[in-house]
Amino acid sequence: MNRLALFEDRSALQFTPIALMRPVFELLCGQFTARERILKSVPAREWGVLIRPALTEVYAEEFPEARINDAVWLSEAPTLLVNGRWLPARQEIPHLANVTSDTVGMIGNTVAYLLLEPEEAVLLTAEAWDDAIQKIASTRKPVAVEGTELQYPWDLVNQNRQQLVDDFALAPSTQASSDEVRNLTVVGPAELLRVDESAEIDPFVVFDTRQGPIVIDRDARIQAFTRIEGPAYIGPGTQLFRANVKAGTTAGPYCRLGGEIEESIIHGFANKYHDGFLGHSYICPWVNLGAQTSNSDLKNDYSQVRVPLAGVPIDTHSVKIGCFIGDHTKTALNSLFNTGSSVGVMSMVLPTGELLPKHIPSFSRFWLGRIDSQIDIADLFELADASMRRRGLSLTAGQRLLLVSLLEETIEERETAIRRWDQKRGTLPAASPQPSVERR
């Protein structure tokens, strides 16, 4: 397969707030994003993407080699299209190199992949490639494929444990020598621990591989009295400080993490340096969780959790759901997130000693017990740049344009959230108990 393109469909909009600044196939699950996993498994000389138009500039900055929403490129030769919401079962991935133009891979009623012929590219436009792909799929013989159709942010978290196991088999390159493994404290099979030779591991670190594999990537630093339970992945340059990392956790590149972390995905460039509990959550880049910031991931009546995505409550059909926090959001000391919370991009959370609102929209601030707007985008850019300079980076021109666009798009969501919270605080008795607290 010489050419491959990943595409977003309309359901990618259901991954707010964690996909507001990236395509859905750039979200982490296991060790990799969907793009990384597919390109690693299906070598392609050229690759492209079909993504929301608002993301084109920021994506081109990060991946200048990618052909973005390029119908001319698609018309030059057959191209394998892969849905970015499809998380393939391990055995499905090798088959992608041999897809023919007379079949279409289907997961339920959703197109997982198809081979686009050059003459069909004219049907794809930035406004309606969903419809075009469905139309093309209707001319092919459907083949049922295995895996998971991701629909909401919590699907990534729920699948993370199994995906870590699958990715361990996919990527055997990061591996410790037998001597290095013998010098580490491993509870369980030593062959399920892989440590890059550049990683620094202090004494008194425990690796528990009884439930699954553990991968410590390049330049990671693990401080004494840290315990890591597999399956788990600690990404490049990430530092763990006296952390208790439970099974099913992925920490992306260049994070600084401490406290208790359970079955969560920290995308990268995020800080949770101090104590506090993070469970069944997805944390985006450049988020800083202040000391003792914690979230509930289980209601005290064990009922299923609803999450307000863009302010609209969605049933998760799960009892273990934490929080989903968008890029560049900061929380202050002792922030307490309720079960199933959603926080947008570039928000500021200043707690008042009780559970926070379950929905804090993008570009807003929770302080003095209420939500209000943060509309000075210049100040927000300055704060973001200050955070990123600590890692030798800064906001790009494309990221600035995208954030300005998101500020405009989320006006109604912000106004609705502010109005609802003010109404709630005006009608509930001051001593009214909170209905959803964690029982552990």
Side-chain angles (χ1 to χ4, degrees):
M1 181 56 59
N2 294 324
R3 295 156 56 96
L4 182 147
L6 290 105
F7 69 91
E8 290 189 304
D9 57 19
R10 291 187 184 93
S11 293
L13 299 175
Q14 297 171 176
F15 287 80
T16 185
I18 64 174
L20 288 175
M21 296 195 67
R22 59 191 54 82
V24 66
F25 49 77
E26 294 297 341
L27 294 169
L28 264 180
C29 188
Q31 288 185 226
F32 308 108
T33 67
R35 174 191 55 81
E36 290 171 329
R37 188 175 296 107
I38 293 295
L39 291 179
K40 183 182 290 288
S41 306
V42 186
R45 287 201 293 265
E46 299 177 73
W47 66 278
V49 296
L50 295 171
I51 57 177
R52 286 162 276 162
L55 297 176
T56 54
E57 185 163 347
V58 70
Y59 201 80
E61 289 174 338
E62 187 170 3
F63 302 104
E65 73 277 17
R67 308 303 290 263
I68 303 172
N69 299 347
D70 191 340
V72 173
W73 176 72
L74 291 170
S75 69
E76 293 172 354
T79 305
L80 177 65
L81 299 185
V82 180
N83 193 324
R85 293 192 303 111
W86 176 46
L87 195 61
R90 188 194 314 174
Q91 64 271 20
E92 290 284 354
I93 296 179
H95 301 322
L96 293 176
N98 302 309
V99 173
T100 60
S101 60
D102 58 343
T103 62
V104 55
M106 301 291 296
I107 182 162
N109 296 319
T110 299
V111 175
Y113 65 77
L114 62 78
L115 186 65
L116 182 76
E117 294 290 2
E119 60 272 15
E120 295 171 325
V122 68
L123 299 173
L124 275 64
T125 67
E127 293 76 28
W129 65 70
D130 272 27
D131 297 334
I133 290 172
Q134 290 290 346
K135 182 176 180 180
I136 295 166
S138 68
T139 68
R140 311 281 171 84
K141 177 184 176 182
V143 176
V145 299
E146 296 184 39
T148 302
E149 179 187 358
L150 302 171
Q151 299 188 60
Y152 294 103
W154 46 87
D155 293 333
L156 293 155
V157 176
N158 291 340
Q159 293 298 320
N160 199 52
R161 182 189 289 249
Q162 181 58 50
Q163 196 59 52
L164 284 165
V165 175
D166 291 347
D167 287 345
F168 186 82
L170 177 66
S173 57
T174 302
Q175 189 166 8
S177 71
S178 57
D179 288 340
E180 289 171 330
V181 169
R182 279 199 295 269
N183 290 331
L184 300 175
T185 302
V186 184
V187 181
E191 63 271 18
L192 293 183
L193 173 64
R194 293 179 185 155
V195 181
D196 189 271
E197 61 182 10
S198 64
E200 297 180 18
I201 313 295
D202 284 356
F204 306 108
V205 172
V206 175
F207 300 94
D208 185 346
T209 62
R210 288 174 294 183
Q211 295 186 63
I214 300 172
V215 175
I216 310 298
D217 218 322
R218 66 185 185 278
D219 299 320
R221 294 175 58 192
I222 315 298
Q223 193 181 76
F225 308 111
T226 291
R227 184 181 187 277
I228 304 174
E229 183 178 276
Y233 171 70
I234 308 301
T238 285
Q239 302 175 52
L240 299 184
F241 302 91
R242 310 165 305 283
N244 182 9
V245 178
K246 301 290 188 62
T249 294
T250 290
Y254 302 102
C255 295
R256 301 174 78 240
L257 306 173
E260 183 181 1
I261 304 171
E262 179 182 4
E263 208 153 334
S264 293
I265 300 173
I266 302 98
H267 189 106
F269 296 95
N271 286 340
K272 181 194 174 299
Y273 178 78
H274 301 282
D275 287 341
F277 173 72
L278 180 72
H280 294 84
S281 299
Y282 194 112
I283 308 300
C284 285
W286 308 111
V287 168
N288 187 82
L289 301 179
Q292 300 299 333
T293 291
S294 294
N295 76 277
S296 168
D297 62 0
L298 179 67
K299 296 169 69 174
N300 59 0
D301 60 1
Y302 307 107
S303 60
Q304 293 183 354
V305 180
R306 304 178 83 194
V307 178
L309 298 183
V312 179
I314 306 294
D315 287 321
T316 67
H317 306 292
S318 177
V319 298
K320 275 272 192 173
I321 298 289
C323 58
F324 305 91
I325 302 181
D327 299 61
H328 296 285
T329 283
K330 317 294 184 188
T331 75
L333 179 74
N334 289 327
S335 295
L336 302 176
F337 287 104
N338 210 331
T339 320
S341 292
S342 173
V343 185
V345 303
M346 280 197 159
S347 292
M348 185 71 70
V349 179
L350 305 170
T352 58
E354 58 185 29
L355 287 175
L356 295 158
K358 289 188 65 169
H359 174 225
I360 300 177
S362 297
F363 306 100
S364 67
R365 174 178 58 178
F366 182 82
W367 73 315
L368 300 178
R370 67 184 304 269
I371 304 171
D372 66 13
S373 294
Q374 294 198 98
I375 57 175
D376 193 333
I377 194 71
D379 286 349
L380 294 177
F381 284 171
E382 184 177 346
L383 175 59
D385 267 330
S387 298
M388 297 176 75
R389 281 195 298 269
R390 295 162 66 103
R391 301 286 196 278
L393 300 171
S394 62
L395 277 176
T396 66
Q399 289 169 340
R400 290 170 183 264
L401 286 174
L402 175 58
L403 287 163
V404 169
S405 173
L406 289 172
L407 176 64
E408 184 71 21
E409 290 176 12
T410 55
I411 288 175
E412 183 177 351
E413 178 189 342
R414 241 180 341 273
E415 291 176 345
T416 300
I418 291 170
R419 184 171 61 252
R420 286 176 176 171
W421 182 254
D422 286 346
Q423 290 172 348
K424 177 180 178 180
R425 301 304 290 176
T427 57
L428 288 178
S432 177
Q434 295 291 340
S436 175
V437 295
E438 182 183 21
R439 175 181 291 173
R440 294 190 60 75

